[in-house]
């Protein structure tokens, strides 16, 4: 199995060894029977392979982990009950008091909150870096993790990936990449020198907005450590039903990512230069500051774009409240189009000053472009922008 699309469909699957079931069965069980006490002892001692308890592993979840590992080009992967459970379990596993983390801003607001509100309580120092110059300044042997999103949420900046990896490796830091936005279809960080990939599988991997899940993928020994420390002790295990839904969703990842990217580019091109839109952030646009990096690293530019409107929150609220086809909701990566105001929702955990500096302004609206007909999406955006313009004229 070498092609990505073939792996998306087949990896982790295959007929169930017990029954021949073609679709991976949902092993909806909390615990697994040992057939004698010796088997139990050997499983706990790690002398035998097998399942013990669903918090640590489950056959449906295992099939998902194998699929995602195959797609990311990782030796192994471990699934969690959310993206935040995956990120927190990984970092709690690899860090200790006195260590430092450097991250490239912006990142998802929940991750930002976890860094500053939780990790700092345990003696970890966090460095917020706005660019690669900032990163160079803070790097030292104490920095154990460099964390970033290859396409930033919600500003859609694409980092010079190889340069970040080079800098992080110069001090021996672990390069942790949140690959939620690109997914392995558009970009595979491990092939470009990253050590670990994390996912909010809630988004594109699922694709259907019907579950919450996360994953960590990387070298087998590190993933094993995350499973036995971060998963077993913190307990954020994924349920087998969600794993089943994800296995099903990922089978169409390649088809969906092409459709999301195609639609997003068409919408971005339409909105660019629109009199009611101050700026369009989408790396697929030739005018975007990260277009060169997007061309260099990404198969396509993905399904998320952001627009800036004059008038801050009141204008954005009017625009969002006027949308009819787009759903006003946080999250992204669903087949349905979604819209949100990051400053007051997803990125509200960030301090105001940091938020402004990272470009998460009060006038920014994030659009997660679904796979509907692009003409219908554009018509909806047009009528919502017209509603904002009417209010401006009345004021
Ligand atoms: C880039 C990114 N990483 C991580 C997360 C957290 O994932 P979850 O909501 O599955 O915990 C999100 C959520 O929006 C996200 O956008």
């Amino acid at each position: 199995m070498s092609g990505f699309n073939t792996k998306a469909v087949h990896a982790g699957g295959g007929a169930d060894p017990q029954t021949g079931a073609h679709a991976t069965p949902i092993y909806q069980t909390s615990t697994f029977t040992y057939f004698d006490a010796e088997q139990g002892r050997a499983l706990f001692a790690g002398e035998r392979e097998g399942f013990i308890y669903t918090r640590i592993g489950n056959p449906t979840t295992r099939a998902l982990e194998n699929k995602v590992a195959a797609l990311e080009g990782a030796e192994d992967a471990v699934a969690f009950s959310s993206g935040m459970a995956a990120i927190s379990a990984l970092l709690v596993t690899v860090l200790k008091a006195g260590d430092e983390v450097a991250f490239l801003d912006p990142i998802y607001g929940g991750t930002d909150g976890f860094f500053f509100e939780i990790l700092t309580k345990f003696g970890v120092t966090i460095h917020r870096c706005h660019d690669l110059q900032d990163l160079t300044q803070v790097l030292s042997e104490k920095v154990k993790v460099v964390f970033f999103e290859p396409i930033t949420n919600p500003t859609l900046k694409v980092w010079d990936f190889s340069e970040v990896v080079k800098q992080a490796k110069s001090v021996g830091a672990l390069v942790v990449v949140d690959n939620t936005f690109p997914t392995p279809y558009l970009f595979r960080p491990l092939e470009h020198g990253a050590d670990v990939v994390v996912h909010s599988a809630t988004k594109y991997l699922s694709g259907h907005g019907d579950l919450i899940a996360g994953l960590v993928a990387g070298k087998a020994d590190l993933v094993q450590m995350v499973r036995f420390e971060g998963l077993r002790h913190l307990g954020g295990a994924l349920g087998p039903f969600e794993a089943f839904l994800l296995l099903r969703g990922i089978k169409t990842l390649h088809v969906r990512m092409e459709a999301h990217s195609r639609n997003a580019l068409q919408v971005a091109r339409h909105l660019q230069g629109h009199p009611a839109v101050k700026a369009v952030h989408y790396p697929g646009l030739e005018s975007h500051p990260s277009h060169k990096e997007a061309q260099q690293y990404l198969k396509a530019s993905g399904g998320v774009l952001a627009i800036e409107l004059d008038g801050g929150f009141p204008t954005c609220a009017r625009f969002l409240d006027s949308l009819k086809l787009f759903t006003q909701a946080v999250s992204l990566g669903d087949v349905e189009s979604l819209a949100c105001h990051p400053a007051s929702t997803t990125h509200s955990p960030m301090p105001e000053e940091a938020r402004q500096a990272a470009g998460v302004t009060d006038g920014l609206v994030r659009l997660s472009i679904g796979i509907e007909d692009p003409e219908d999406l554009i018509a909806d955006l047009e009528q919502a922008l017209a509603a904002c313009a009417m209010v401006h004229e009345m004021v």
Side-chain angles (χ1 to χ4, degrees):
M1 232 188 279
S2 60
F4 185 93
N5 302 353
T6 309
K7 284 187 206 162
V9 174
H10 291 279
D16 178 48
Q18 301 283 314
T19 62
H22 172 67
T24 307
I26 305 169
Y27 285 93
Q28 194 69 33
T29 180
S30 49
T31 196
F32 295 83
T33 311
Y34 328 131
F35 294 99
D36 55 42
E38 169 50 26
Q39 188 191 359
R41 188 205 62 76
L43 280 168
F44 270 83
E47 293 166 10
R48 248 198 225 190
E49 287 210 359
F51 296 98
I52 299 173
Y53 189 58
T54 286
R55 172 154 48 77
I56 323 168
N58 171 288
T60 317
T61 311
R62 192 69 197 130
L64 167 70
E65 291 164 346
N66 289 337
K67 193 186 264 305
V68 172
L71 294 182
E72 286 289 5
E75 287 176 9
D76 202 357
V78 52
F80 289 87
S81 57
S82 70
M84 286 315 303
I87 292 168
S88 54
L90 168 68
L91 293 180
V92 166
T93 303
V94 300
L95 293 169
K96 59 179 185 336
D99 288 346
E100 299 182 7
V101 172
F103 76 94
L104 288 169
D105 210 22
I107 50 174
Y108 168 58
T111 312
D112 194 291
F114 168 69
F115 284 177
F116 288 101
E117 288 164 33
I118 309 288
L119 282 182
T120 52
K121 281 205 282 198
F122 296 91
V124 174
T125 301
I126 310 292
H127 300 284
R128 184 191 295 281
C129 304
H130 296 297
D131 50 34
L132 297 187
Q133 281 77 24
D134 279 1
L135 183 64
T136 318
Q137 298 284 312
V138 303
L139 282 179
S140 76
E141 308 252 305
K142 283 191 177 166
V143 175
K144 300 298 177 204
V145 166
V146 169
F147 185 104
F148 67 109
E149 299 172 2
I151 308 178
T152 62
N153 179 6
T155 51
L156 288 313
K157 189 185 219 170
V158 181
W159 296 106
D160 183 344
F161 198 90
S162 303
E163 190 52 36
V164 181
V165 169
K166 194 169 104 197
Q167 286 204 24
K169 297 270 160 141
S170 72
V171 293
L174 197 73
V175 179
V176 181
V177 176
D178 182 337
N179 205 32
T180 300
F181 269 47
T183 81
Y185 180 69
L186 299 183
F187 182 61
R188 286 180 292 283
L190 302 176
E191 288 176 5
H192 292 264
D195 297 297
V196 197
V197 166
V198 292
H199 273 283
S200 168
T202 313
K203 311 295 185 318
Y204 289 106
L205 292 184
S206 151
H208 295 77
D210 49 11
L211 60 91
I212 301 282
L215 283 125
V216 172
K219 286 243 158 53
D221 52 353
L222 180 64
V223 170
Q224 179 79 339
M225 202 161 83
V226 175
R227 183 186 296 283
F228 282 97
E229 294 183 22
L231 178 61
R232 187 166 59 143
H233 297 324
L234 297 179
L238 186 68
F241 181 56
E242 280 76 9
F244 168 83
L245 287 176
L246 266 167
L247 279 165
R248 175 176 154 134
I250 294 172
K251 286 184 186 180
T252 56
L253 178 67
H254 48 298
V255 184
R256 288 185 285 105
M257 290 314 289
E258 284 290 342
H260 284 297
S261 302
R262 204 170 43 241
N263 276 2
L265 184 60
Q266 192 167 332
V267 170
R269 284 200 173 130
H270 181 89
L271 294 178
Q272 195 180 28
H274 192 292
V277 178
K278 203 163 105 186
V280 179
H281 303 283
Y282 185 65
L285 291 176
E286 291 75 6
S287 57
H288 191 272
S290 298
H291 186 62
K292 185 169 113 313
E293 287 78 9
Q295 296 254 295
Q296 186 179 347
Y297 294 109
L298 307 175
K299 192 175 169 80
S301 290
V304 183
L305 60 96
I307 57 173
E308 267 181 68
L309 304 177
D310 268 327
F313 180 76
T315 313
C316 294
R318 174 77 194 177
F319 169 74
L320 289 166
D321 292 348
S322 304
L323 289 167
K324 294 189 169 75
L325 183 56
F326 278 76
T327 303
Q328 200 181 152
V330 296
S331 203
L332 53 105
D334 297 355
V335 288
E336 297 89 357
S337 293
L338 307 174
C340 78
H341 180 251
S344 61
T345 60
T346 52
H347 288 67
S348 56
M350 283 177 84
E352 164 79 23
E353 203 187 320
R355 211 167 36 70
Q356 298 291 348
V360 190
T361 61
D362 292 341
L364 196 78
V365 172
R366 188 181 75 189
L367 301 174
S368 170
I369 305 297
I371 63 168
E372 302 95 335
D373 291 308
E375 297 76 17
D376 291 334
L377 297 174
I378 288 169
D380 193 31
L381 294 167
E382 278 289 357
Q383 65 79 27
L385 288 168
C388 294
M390 268 161 53
V391 171
H392 272 306
E393 276 161 25
M394 279 156 54
V395 173

